[in-house]
Amino acid sequence: MNAQDEQITQVILTFAQPVLVGLPNGCSKAQFAGVMRTVLTVWNTVVKDALDGGNQHETAVLSTIASAPKEVQLMVKRLIKRKKTKFATDQRQIGQHWVHEQGGEVLFGCEAADEQPAPSGVPFKTK
């Protein structure tokens, strides 16, 4: 994993921290991957809206989850607010991401949309 991939991966894990702390100990790779897909969708949504100067992508995401459980809607709204306030200056879109399991540890990695994929990741402890 190159330094840029590691840097954006750490930024995304920090951004996702309020959601990740709510995951059960020993959560499955599939659970973690699902949460991270939501996190990355929110991140890219806010970045796209900032670049476009509107909020059409945010509106579309919120419309898509309108029938989801209230906890999911609240999580997404909090992530949107977190991206706009604490991570507003980082306008990198996320391209590829991966979740692997190695030695009982779930690994996550990602790169900005214009970078090449890397084979390894950063560990996320599920135990």
Side-chain angles (χ1 to χ4, degrees):
M1 174 179 267
N2 71 41
Q4 281 185 320
D5 291 342
E6 196 167 309
Q7 180 188 38
I8 189 63
T9 297
Q10 288 298 334
V11 169
I12 294 299
L13 288 171
T14 300
F15 169 67
Q17 193 61 31
V19 175
L20 298 178
V21 297
L23 290 175
N25 285 339
C27 76
S28 71
K29 175 185 165 188
Q31 287 173 307
F32 179 74
V35 167
M36 291 310 293
R37 276 191 301 275
T38 301
V39 165
L40 295 172
T41 297
V42 168
W43 179 277
N44 281 342
T45 293
V46 175
V47 169
K48 286 178 185 177
D49 279 347
L51 295 173
D52 293 347
N55 69 343
Q56 70 184 31
H57 300 288
E58 178 182 334
T59 301
V61 166
L62 293 175
S63 175
T64 300
I65 63 165
S67 62
K70 293 293 181 198
E71 308 85 55
V72 172
Q73 293 180 44
L74 185 58
M75 175 190 71
V76 168
K77 288 176 183 178
R78 285 180 176 160
L79 282 171
I80 289 170
K81 182 177 179 180
R82 183 169 169 81
K83 173 66 176 106
K84 288 179 176 180
T85 58
K86 297 186 185 274
F87 295 86
T89 60
D90 194 333
Q91 295 301 313
R92 294 176 286 183
Q93 289 186 331
I94 305 304
Q96 296 288 349
H97 75 279
W98 53 94
V99 176
H100 299 294
E101 197 166 353
Q102 182 177 346
E105 202 171 52
V106 176
L107 304 174
F108 169 77
C110 64
E111 77 271 342
D114 61 343
E115 297 174 10
Q116 295 298 316
S120 61
V122 173
F124 169 75
K125 304 280 186 199
T126 60
K127 294 181 181 179

